[in-house]
């Protein structure tokens, strides 16, 4: 983000990338209470704070190493008064969630970048933290979104970034609990199939689904980003849905 954030991350484990920045940049302006589920080292939530999209953020994560680094990142970037950290397994159920300090109906916006390979698919990373960030048991995505729905206020939003191949499962889980589903596909280059999707939805809404035109991250050649995404990744703009 052009130096607006400095993050400590695992040397060999999972590290935040473009998905985390896009997720943080997608938070609507004026968000009073933001919850980042599976926050890792805090990248997405801290992006939202750095861009002025959220007033406060709660970073929820189960991995002890990631939690320690998230705490360091919050303090190191000057957000100690605006960001909190909670140790919790998002899939553990309502009792464990509440015991850890996640309040029902307590957050205006909930963001998440859930693990995207079902167990047994993809290549399992050798580091446990990276494996946890990429793989989960079958049915766990629904548990993530159940947690998001419980934590969001009435009329609150959930925003998720996910691989395009998981769109059907993601929409099925969201549709049970949210309305006004708004899908933004992202493709690497012009003419290519979408590889990532951003989805936002509103708790309690009955508005119909919207499927947006696909946005392209790169040009025809080279690795340069399209201007709108270059501005986001440099910390100069937010995501214009």
């Amino acid at each position: 983000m052009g130096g607006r954030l400095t993050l400590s991350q695992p040397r060999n484990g999972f590290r935040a990338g473009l998905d985390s920045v896009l997720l943080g940049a997608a938070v609507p302006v004026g968000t009073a209470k933001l919850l980042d589920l599976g926050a890792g080292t805090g990248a997405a939530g801290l992006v939202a704070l750095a861009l002025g999209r959220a007033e406060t953020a709660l970073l929820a994560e189960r991995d002890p190493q990631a939690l320690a680094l998230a705490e360091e990142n919050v303090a190191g970037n000057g957000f100690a008064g605006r960001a909190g950290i909670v140790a919790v397994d998002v899939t553990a159920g309502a009792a464990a969630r509440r015991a850890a300090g996640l309040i029902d109906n307590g957050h205006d916006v909930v963001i998440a970048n859930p693990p995207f390979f079902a167990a047994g698919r993809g290549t399992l990373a050798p580091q446990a933290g990276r494996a946890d960030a990429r793989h989960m048991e079958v049915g766990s995505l629904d548990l993530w979104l159940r947690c998001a729905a419980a934590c969001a206020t009435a009329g609150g939003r959930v925003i998720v970034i996910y691989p395009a191949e998981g769109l059907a499962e993601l929409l099925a889980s969201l549709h049970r609990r949210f309305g006004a589903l708004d899908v933004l596909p992202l493709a690497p280059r012009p003419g290519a199939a979408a590889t990532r999707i951003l989805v936002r939805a509103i708790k309690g809404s009955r508005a119909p689904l919207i499927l947006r035109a696909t946005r392209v991250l790169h040009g025809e050649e080279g690795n340069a980003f399209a201007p709108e995404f270059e501005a986001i990744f440099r910390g100069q703009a937010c995501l214009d849905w």
Side-chain angles (χ1 to χ4, degrees):
M1 294 183 65
R4 296 180 68 172
L5 287 176
T6 300
L7 297 181
S8 295
Q9 302 199 75
R11 181 181 299 276
N12 298 313
F14 175 81
R15 289 185 290 276
L18 303 183
D19 286 0
S20 298
V21 179
L22 288 171
L23 186 59
V27 173
V29 68
T31 298
K33 295 181 178 180
L34 174 67
L35 172 62
D36 185 355
L37 291 180
T41 61
L46 294 180
V47 166
L49 292 176
L51 290 172
R53 309 300 282 184
E55 296 176 17
T56 64
L58 183 62
L59 312 178
E61 173 59 47
R62 73 177 184 179
D63 179 69
Q65 182 188 26
L67 281 167
L69 291 171
E71 186 172 6
E72 180 179 327
N73 290 332
V74 166
N77 286 281
F79 292 124
R82 297 173 57 195
I85 297 169
V86 59
V88 62
D89 182 348
V90 170
T91 67
R97 178 183 73 242
R98 293 168 186 148
L102 285 186
I103 301 172
D104 288 350
N105 307 305
H107 303 274
D108 304 300
V109 177
V110 181
I111 59 174
N113 181 10
F116 48 85
F117 288 125
R121 295 178 55 207
T123 300
L124 191 65
Q127 295 83 20
R130 186 169 187 177
D132 283 349
R134 299 178 71 241
H135 294 75
M136 63 180 170
E137 298 297 327
V138 174
S140 290
L141 179 61
D142 191 64
L143 297 177
W144 276 66
L145 297 174
R146 182 185 301 175
C147 179
C151 293
T153 60
R157 291 183 183 271
V158 62
I159 306 172
V160 179
I161 191 164
Y162 210 60
E165 65 188 76
L167 179 60
E169 183 183 3
L170 180 61
L171 292 184
S173 292
L174 284 169
H175 184 68
R176 299 188 188 110
R177 305 170 177 100
F178 297 87
L181 274 66
D182 198 337
V183 182
L184 177 60
L186 302 172
R189 300 191 182 278
T195 55
R196 283 288 187 275
I197 47 171
L198 272 162
V199 182
R200 63 181 181 180
I202 299 176
K203 183 176 175 178
S205 174
R206 296 185 178 180
L209 180 147
I210 298 173
L211 178 60
R212 304 279 174 180
T214 299
R215 305 273 183 86
V216 179
L217 292 170
H218 300 278
E220 293 279 0
E221 299 179 356
N223 294 320
F225 288 105
E228 70 168 303
F229 291 107
E230 179 70 16
I232 292 171
F233 298 141
R234 292 294 180 185
Q236 299 165 351
C238 298
L239 184 71
D240 183 355
W241 209 273

